Amino acid sequence: MKNEDVATTSIEQVTKKVPSVSFLGLAIGAMAVSATLMVLNRKSWANFVGQWAPTLLILGTYNKIVKTLDDSQQVERTGPTQLVTALKSVDELKHPSPLPLS
């Protein structure tokens, strides 16, 4: 990654291997545990665990952004000819050529 130190780059290399859906699962799990603790009349613990959900969702968003930026930088590294080919294929999807009448 550009303009980042070694520590940030190494952390991002490790965290981008984690599936994004795992952060969502952990956040939903934290909400379920929080609700259970609230029913068991453990309000302070329920509030503590319930505050994990937004943090986990933000981490999942960051994870997704890192993966997306890495993919876009991969396109930059491949060179302009591959990018033009990719753009042509996207354009063909938007405006397919008509089938021959035979």
Side-chain angles (χ1 to χ4, degrees):
M1 303 239 157
K2 291 183 178 180
N3 302 326
E4 294 185 5
D5 61 353
V6 176
T8 305
T9 305
S10 62
I11 289 170
E12 288 176 354
Q13 292 298 322
V14 172
T15 57
K16 74 179 183 180
K17 294 177 184 175
V18 178
S20 299
V21 73
S22 62
F23 290 102
L24 179 61
L26 288 171
I28 291 171
M31 288 186 274
V33 169
S34 176
T36 304
L37 288 169
M38 189 63 79
V39 168
L40 295 175
N41 206 16
R42 306 284 305 244
K43 187 174 181 177
S44 60
W45 278 101
N47 287 334
F48 175 68
V49 174
Q51 291 178 0
W52 296 352
T55 304
L56 291 166
L57 292 173
I58 289 170
L59 287 171
T61 303
Y62 177 77
N63 183 28
K64 195 68 150 181
I65 290 171
V66 167
K67 288 179 182 179
T68 305
L69 289 177
D70 191 46
D71 291 344
S72 68
Q73 288 177 352
Q74 186 68 25
V75 170
E76 289 175 9
R77 284 186 230 130
T78 57
T81 56
Q82 286 85 0
L83 184 59
V84 170
T85 305
L87 290 175
K88 283 182 182 177
S89 63
V90 169
D91 191 42
E92 289 172 3
L93 289 174
K94 289 180 182 176
H95 307 288
S97 58
L99 296 173
L101 299 172
S102 51

